[in-house]
Each structure stands twice: as C-alpha cells, then as structure tokens.
Amino acid sequence: MMQITFKDGNVKSFDEGMSPEEIAGAIAPGLKKKAVAAYVNDELYDLNRPIYQDAKLDIITKDNQEALEVLNHSTAHLMAQAVKRLYPDAKFGVGPAIKDGFYYDIATEHTITDDDLPKIENMMRRIVKEQESMMREEISQAEALARFKDDPYKRELIEELPEGEIISIYTQGEFVDLCRGGHIGNTRHIKHFKLLSVAGAYWRGDSDREMLQRIYGTAWFNKEALEHHLKVLEDRKERDHRKLGKELKIFMLDKRAGQGLPIWLPNGYTIRRTLEDYVYNLERKNGYLHLSTPVLGTKELYQISGHFDHYQDDMFPLMKDKDETFVLRPMSCPHHMIVYNSELRSYRDLPLRYAEIVTQHRYEASGALSGLERVRAMTLTDSHIFARKDQIKTEVLNAYRLILQVIKDLDLTIDYIELALRDKTKGKFHDDDKLWDEAEATLKQLLDEENIDYHEVKGEAAFYGPKIDIQVRTAMDHVITMSTVQLDFLLPERFDLTYIGKDGEKHRPVVIHRGLISTWERLMSILLEQYKGAFPTWLAPTQMRLIAVNQEAHGDFTQNLHEQFIDLGFRSSIDLREEKLGYKIREAQTQKIPYQLVIGDNEVKNNTLTYRRYGQKEQTTVSVQAFIDMINNEIKHKTKHAE
RNA sequence: GCCGCUUUAGCUCCAACAGGUAGAGCAAUUCCAUGGUAAGGAAAAGGUUGCUGGUUCGAGUCCAGCAAGCGGCACCA
C-alpha cells in the first residue's frame, strides 16, 4: 500500500501501481470523469501512469487551464498518428500545445493541403473509436536513438538532451512518439477538435534549415466550447482591418502604387490627423519640441549611427549620385543627433525633448507584409530625449506616464511590460560591456522602485541599448509592441554628443528613444479591429449624418443645421439625395456613423433634432443646443460607446 | 525571403457541367416614385477571366513562369 496525500490535506491508502485515473475513480466517479491529468509530487503525470510510492496527488480536472493544454497536446499526437496512417513516409518535428490549440510539424513527400484536413480528421475519429491507450515508457538515450533511427528530427532532439537524462516515449497503438508528456491516457477522451490550417514552418525555427509542413488545430472538452472558439475565429474575420478598411474606405493598397505602400483614403486620413493632433498637443503640454527632418539622408549618417551595418538588408536600395550615396531613411534618430549637435549645449538646456511625426521606409520581407499591420512606408510619432544621467529616471518615467495616458485614451489594453535586454552570445549588439551593464541596471532599478511588473527578455534589446516595451493585446488576440522607451548610451558616443556641465567641462548626455503608438498604420489596424469600424465620436471620420424627411419642407433647416455643425468644427455630412428615408438611414448605419439625425416637421417647428446612435434603435429628440453640448462633451472626454 | 493556397465587372471565397468565346446581386448611370428610422420600381450599361507564354481545332477551365493577395514560418532599429 502507498499513502496518497490530496490537495486538501487528506491522506488515503491505495494499492501500489494505481494510476491517478484509478485513484480518482476510487474517490468519486464524477472526479474520474472530469480528470485529465495529475500532478504527482508536482510532476505532471498522465492519467494512466502508475504511482508506486507515497505521494502528493493533485488531480487536474477539465476546469484547469493546464487541462486544456494536456488535451491539445494529446490531440497533436492523435493527429500525428492519423497523418502517419495516411502518409506512411511522414517524419515528425515538434507538436506542442499552444494557446487555444496545437500544431504538429511534419515532413512528407505528400503536399498537405486544406482538402486533406477532413481526411485527417476522419482518421483521427477512427483512432478515437479504437480507444488507443497512450502508454508512457522511460528509456535510455541509446535506446531512444535506436527506436527513432529512421526519424532524423526526433534523433536530433534526442542527441541534444543532456547525458544521462531519462527520455520518455509514448505509444498509442502502432504510433510511438518522443515526448515529455503528460497525456490524457487514452484517445477515447478526445472528442471535440478541428483542424484549422496548413502552413510552412522552418525546422527549429531556423530559416537556414528545411521547411516542414505544419498543421494547426484546436481541441476542447465539449462541443459548446469548440463551437464557441470557432465562432470567435469567425468574429475575428469580421473584425479584420483589411476587410473593414475597404468597406469603410480607410485605406487602400494597389500593386501599381507598390507592394506594402498603403494609401490613406480621406476617411482614414481624417482619423489619422485627429490622432496626430491629439498626440502633438499632448507632447507640447509635456515639454516636447517638434521639428521636421527629411525622408532622405546620406549613407554616411547611418554608418555613423551603426544602423547601416545592422539593417542594410532591410533598407530600400541605395540611391547613388556621383559623389554621394543616399538612403531612404528607415528611422529618425540620426537626424535628431545632428540637431542636438548643431549648438553648444549647456547642462541647463537638458532635458531636451525632440519629437517628430516621421515618415520612414523599411524594405520589409515581402512575406511579412500584411494590410496596414506590416508595411514598407510608415509614419509615427518619434521622440528622442537628450538628458543628463541624473535626469534619466525622471525622463523615463515621464515618457512612461505619457504612454499610459495615450493607451488609456485609445482604450488599449496592456498585456505586459517587457524589459528587453542584451544577449551577449548574439552578435547583433554593440560590445561595450560597461555601457550595457549601466543602462540595464538603470532601467531595472527604475522599474523595481516604481513597482512596475515586467518580464525580462534576453536578446530583445535594440543594438544600441536596453528598452522597456509596452505590449498590448489586440482585439485579434495578438500581442504587439505598442510603445517603447529605450535607453541609449551608444549613439551619444557615436555622434560625440556633449554638453557643458556646471564644472565647465564637457559631458556626455544620454538619449532616451521613445516610441508612442507604434506607427499610425499599425495603430489604425488595431483601432479598426478594436472598434469593429464603429469609431467613437472624437475619432469618427463622419460624426453625424443629417437627413431631411422632405427636401422641400425641411431642406433649409437641415442645411442650416449642417453649416452650424461645420462651423463648430464637427465632421457633419448631409444626405440631399432624392431617395427614400429608409434608404438613407440604412446607408448611414452601414457606414457606422455615430449619429444619424432625421429632421421633419416637429424638429423644424421646435428647433430640435431627433438622433439615433449607431447600432441602437432608440430615437431621442433634443434641442439643437443640447445636442451640440453632448457632442462637444463626447469629443472632449473621448467617450466610447458600447458596440 | 521560404512553404502552401488563391486571383472572374467598382464590391461580394457569387455563377459558368467534364475545355466549346462569361452569369447574378449590390453599387454607379438614366427614368419613374419618394413624409418619420436598415434596401421602392424600371431600363440600359459594365469583362483582354491578374500578367506572359505553352498544350489544343478551341482555354476562365489544363501546363509553366511571373506578380499580387491570403495562412503560416523566418525577420521586425
């Protein structure tokens, strides 16, 4: 007998060799039914893996987050088995659980297409019916190598495991896989799944190695959860900024204009200008000085900064004149360094906060381009703060607080904050250890002092210094870097920046790079998806659409109202077409205009108007002045409305 | 850049059997109608089926190359 200690502290005796599944069944049939895997002495165990000694047992049920991972991981194995039956030459890479799903990387002569997915699903269902038990076995490295002698990818993984490490393999029917576990015990537990897509993926994420075929899928514990997830995926398609951007005439792409070179249409540009004005004023209030620099620079400028060495391949082809070579600028810091150096600076001048709405060009890989999310021409609000070392903390915090303000005003959600550090083993960073250590320590200390939660990530720093990245989760469930504060001791050296200190001597300032809203292009894609195209009044390209019930009787009043709104700075539009009322109303709704105003006898008589908010059925009649006050208030407070 | 898929009218993963010269809806145009909250009716028009080449008596359809888009991977100062 062995003593099993449960989560609640209870201890019970069971026969040695019983599995978590059997123990769960012995406690309560309901628990056995809900059980997915278990932690035995904090080690993840399969449901059917025998326990041989006294242990602490924690049954993972379907309600746990880990349970979904176990299920998806097991579904990946199930899929691999099905693929192997259909395409016997298949060799396997890795097949992990990921958020809301799983994938498996496969090498086979057969090209897997979307049409194959139902076939694979059918085979998977067959294996589920076969009720294959998923059995764990622990073997030596030598034995593992022998077992997987025909599987080059698995062999590579085995060879890299540390000497003496116990290797576990899982067998279900005829299928054997190298795997750490835990698993769900038997294929019969896998019922609700769907294969979603096929894609290519480099073996081990290395673009110098061969490409495998990757199948993505998703698995859930019940039909409702699966259907719900598929619905979420459908909803994302409806939100897609490329679809909404076309429907609402926000932007366009045309291959004659150039791949990845978007055109902002009047509606989109109106939103962008509103955002630009907002940021410009916010920066002005926070002591930033705005300037403007050219989109072209000399190659030499970027050689001094070091960008040319690092990013040459991602820059547009060089333009060569007789004596000079120009680059289409991929970023703006070097120009700002030159501005700093154009005068003799005193310690009293610092901090100096330069900001610019910068258009820059990057020759992104063709396969990376996507709508407004990833483009080759982009505009952003960039800033470089020149400061003394004793000002770093205040300036970084000021920048951070400004970022928080903007993120709040735009209804964005911070997912986490990342402190991106250097990884010495990677060559892409400058190699002055002293500068790195100091910069990294400064940021770390600052975050700790302010009690800001953050994840450290090695190897994600800029080549010139560490950075604090503000990671935002979008409506599409993507995590993107929205804002960044970077501490740079390198460029001041490269450009020989100095200021005269109190002591009359020359000192080196530091540069803080601050990115606020990624780029206007990417922000636009995120906002479109977030608001599903229904922008709050302060951003909406058209804020109100005026419709007269009868042109003859109410046309003049409506026209006057429209002119009054335009005078007030509202983005008003009037529909004068000889069309039925219902037709005009439908159009105002499909264009997602926040306010739709209908003017008839009552309104003309009482100097009122009747509005309907986008997406609502309710009609409200108010005085013209009350409406104006309401709109002004919404714009001022950036009021958002429920969808 | 790499792997796979896709490309038909301004828009819509809307049509065209198995190779026989392209069919809708909406929008736009013209005419008629039009007073209260999501599509009034009619007419006429709209196409070098992404581009280039090949196979064939004949190609939207089959093949090759290229381009762009899409799903991923790699990349992202």
Side-chain angles (χ1 to χ4, degrees):
Chain A
M1 297 296 276
M2 56 184 180
Q3 302 291 106
I4 297 295
T5 311
F6 294 96
K7 208 167 39 171
D8 57 11
N10 274 333
V11 183
K12 276 188 171 172
S13 298
F14 294 93
D15 290 335
E16 277 166 33
M18 275 178 84
S19 70
E21 190 172 25
E22 289 160 342
I23 294 174
I27 301 169
L31 183 62
K32 180 181 166 184
K33 225 177 152 187
K34 281 204 318 194
V36 175
Y39 281 110
V40 175
N41 294 331
D42 299 323
E43 187 190 342
L44 187 58
Y45 257 55
D46 313 315
L47 220 43
N48 60 0
R49 179 170 168 189
I51 306 169
Y52 292 106
Q53 64 250 331
D54 293 356
K56 196 172 83 187
L57 176 68
D58 184 2
I59 306 267
I60 301 172
T61 66
K62 291 177 185 179
D63 318 318
N64 296 99
Q65 181 57 39
E66 295 101 316
L68 205 54
E69 278 174 34
V70 170
L71 174 69
N72 273 289
H73 188 184
S74 292
T75 312
H77 277 233
L78 171 64
M79 180 178 80
Q81 185 176 11
V83 167
K84 185 83 181 169
R85 281 194 191 175
L86 289 164
Y87 316 109
D89 73 317
K91 308 273 184 277
F92 296 94
V94 291
I98 52 173
K99 184 167 190 293
D100 296 335
F102 63 88
Y103 67 78
Y104 218 123
D105 287 348
I106 301 155
T108 155
E109 282 298 309
H110 172 78
T111 300
I112 301 168
T113 68
D114 286 345
D115 296 337
D116 293 320
L117 299 184
K119 293 178 209 163
I120 300 169
E121 281 180 359
N122 284 337
M123 184 59 81
M124 287 166 73
R125 289 199 189 91
R126 228 154 89 188
I127 300 168
V128 168
K129 280 199 191 124
E130 289 168 16
Q131 310 206 353
E132 305 285 5
S133 179
M134 306 170 99
M135 297 306 295
R136 179 190 176 89
E137 205 181 326
E138 289 177 2
I139 58 179
S140 70
Q141 193 172 31
E143 201 184 336
L145 284 172
R147 291 282 281 261
F148 291 96
K149 66 177 192 304
D150 297 324
D151 237 318
Y153 304 108
K154 296 292 179 194
R155 241 182 25 237
E156 185 176 324
L157 296 174
I158 295 164
E159 274 162 5
E160 286 179 18
L161 288 170
E163 197 70 25
E165 175 110 342
I166 290 172
I167 296 170
S168 57
I169 61 171
Y170 280 80
T171 307
Q172 54 193 72
E174 80 284 0
F175 181 75
V176 185
D177 202 349
L178 172 76
C179 183
R180 189 174 293 127
H183 280 289
I184 198 154
N186 191 297
T187 59
R188 72 167 184 272
H189 297 306
I190 305 170
K191 293 193 182 95
H192 309 282
F193 57 85
K194 186 162 175 61
L195 302 186
L196 298 171
S197 59
V198 211
Y202 294 111
W203 169 234
R204 314 213 73 180
D206 183 344
S207 58
D208 291 331
R209 306 200 60 178
E210 65 268 41
M211 186 159 262
L212 307 179
Q213 303 185 67
R214 173 175 296 182
I215 303 178
Y216 284 95
T218 184
W220 300 81
F221 284 114
N222 57 62
K223 202 175 155 204
E224 293 71 36
L226 172 64
E227 279 172 2
H228 173 76
H229 180 67
L230 296 177
K231 230 179 133 188
V232 167
L233 296 182
E234 278 305 305
D235 174 67
R236 281 188 203 155
K237 277 190 209 157
E238 288 302 306
R239 270 178 200 275
D240 192 312
H241 80 276
R242 291 164 298 193
K243 179 178 150 72
L244 291 170
K246 187 182 264 182
E247 284 171 7
L248 300 173
K249 299 185 185 171
I250 302 292
F251 74 100
M252 62 173 286
L253 289 160
D254 185 298
K255 71 174 159 190
R256 290 161 301 180
Q259 193 186 15
L261 302 171
I263 293 166
W264 288 78
L265 297 171
N267 284 343
Y269 191 60
T270 300
I271 297 171
R272 172 169 144 189
R273 282 298 322 220
T274 306
L275 288 165
E276 283 179 353
D277 287 349
Y278 157 67
V279 168
Y280 180 90
N281 284 318
L282 199 61
E283 285 178 332
R284 195 175 46 77
K285 283 182 199 160
N286 281 276
Y288 287 78
L289 304 172
H290 291 90
L291 45 79
S292 182
T293 61
V295 293
L296 278 183
T298 63
K299 180 179 153 195
E300 189 200 351
L301 182 59
Y302 290 89
Q303 282 174 321
I304 296 170
S305 72
H307 287 93
F308 189 79
D309 289 342
H310 283 271
Y311 297 107
Q312 196 180 157
D313 292 345
D314 301 313
M315 287 161 68
F316 270 89
L318 299 172
M319 281 163 274
K320 283 190 182 126
D321 189 22
K322 251 190 292 181
D323 326 300
E324 260 183 318
T325 303
F326 295 96
V327 304
L328 199 47
R329 73 159 164 209
M331 42 110 58
S332 64
C333 359
H335 278 102
H336 291 188
M337 303 295 142
I338 286 182
V339 176
Y340 180 91
N341 249 357
S342 65
E343 290 178 43
L344 187 63
R345 307 290 179 179
S346 149
Y347 70 98
R348 296 174 203 271
D349 296 332
L350 304 182
L352 198 50
R353 309 183 188 98
Y354 286 140
E356 177 175 2
I357 292 178
V358 180
T359 297
Q360 55 193 34
H361 295 79
R362 293 179 183 177
Y363 197 68
E364 304 282 5
S366 60
L369 301 173
S370 176
L372 283 183
E373 210 176 312
R374 197 74 185 271
V375 292
R376 284 177 171 170
M378 64 210 84
T379 305
L380 67 152
T381 296
D382 203 4
S383 170
H384 297 93
I385 300 159
F386 299 83
R388 305 190 304 259
K389 280 193 173 170
D390 61 290
Q391 294 170 322
I392 291 175
K393 189 181 160 182
T394 330
E395 287 308 306
V396 169
L397 272 178
N398 283 344
Y400 175 71
R401 291 197 183 112
L402 191 73
I403 288 167
L404 292 190
Q405 169 78 47
V406 171
I407 284 183
K408 181 172 150 272
D409 284 343
L410 296 177
D411 297 338
L412 300 169
T413 314
I414 295 181
D415 198 60
Y416 63 94
I417 289 168
E418 181 175 300
L419 176 59
L421 306 170
R422 163 176 74 149
D423 180 346
K424 261 182 124 169
T425 62
K426 289 183 186 164
K428 69 172 187 168
F429 305 103
H430 81 77
D431 54 8
D432 188 327
D433 287 349
K434 232 185 89 198
L435 292 187
W436 273 107
D437 293 344
E438 186 181 353
E440 293 188 350
T442 306
L443 286 187
K444 233 185 263 195
Q445 191 199 354
L446 185 150
L447 288 168
D448 289 337
E449 278 175 15
E450 293 298 314
N451 284 319
I452 298 168
D453 282 335
Y454 61 94
H455 299 314
E456 279 183 27
V457 187
K458 279 213 177 348
E460 292 294 311
F463 76 86
Y464 46 74
K467 51 182 188 166
I468 298 171
D469 283 345
I470 315 298
Q471 305 294 106
V472 158
R473 186 172 291 274
T474 73
M476 306 300 263
D477 209 25
H478 294 157
V479 174
I480 62 123
T481 302
M482 177 55 72
S483 320
T484 183
V485 185
Q486 312 175 348
L487 194 50
D488 177 5
F489 294 160
L490 181 72
L491 294 190
E493 299 277 341
R494 292 271 176 105
F495 283 91
D496 193 25
L497 306 186
T498 56
Y499 65 88
I500 307 299
K502 233 178 194 165
D503 54 6
E505 299 293 317
K506 280 186 174 181
H507 296 272
R508 192 71 82 203
V510 298
V511 169
I512 297 162
H513 303 242
R514 187 232 56 192
L516 197 52
I517 43 73
S518 181
T519 65
W520 297 126
E521 285 76 14
R522 186 172 284 179
L523 179 65
M524 190 68 233
S525 76
I526 289 163
L527 292 181
L528 259 172
E529 286 163 3
Q530 167 168 302
Y531 293 123
K532 227 173 172 174
F535 287 94
T537 308
W538 77 284
L539 285 175
T542 302
Q543 295 169 318
M544 62 222 38
R545 166 73 45 85
L546 275 58
I547 302 167
V549 172
N550 178 285
Q551 217 55 251
E552 200 103 330
H554 320 119
D556 286 350
F557 182 86
T558 311
Q559 183 67 38
N560 285 339
L561 210 51
H562 170 63
E563 283 166 16
Q564 196 183 342
F565 289 163
I566 294 290
D567 275 351
L568 286 163
F570 295 166
R571 295 187 289 272
S572 173
S573 73
I574 182 164
D575 191 341
L576 294 169
R577 291 173 305 170
E578 293 291 325
E579 280 291 351
K580 299 266 260 196
L581 195 56
Y583 182 89
K584 295 183 182 182
I585 284 163
R586 178 171 196 277
E587 198 168 278
Q589 291 289 315
T590 50
Q591 289 173 7
K592 309 195 179 197
I593 296 167
Y595 287 96
Q596 159 199 309
L597 276 47
V598 175
I599 311 300
D601 285 344
N602 295 333
E603 287 76 13
V604 171
K605 199 172 97 198
N606 304 321
N607 196 32
T608 56
L609 52 82
T610 300
Y611 70 80
R612 186 173 132 183
R613 254 209 69 81
Y614 169 74
Q616 292 178 354
K617 288 276 175 237
E618 191 187 349
Q619 298 164 40
T620 313
T621 304
V622 293
S623 73
V624 171
Q625 192 53 49
F627 181 78
I628 290 171
D629 292 344
M630 181 178 80
I631 297 298
N632 271 326
N633 193 52
E634 276 193 25
I635 293 171
K636 189 176 164 198
H637 293 104
K638 304 182 175 62
T639 312
K640 55 181 184 262
H641 290 265
E643 252 176 45

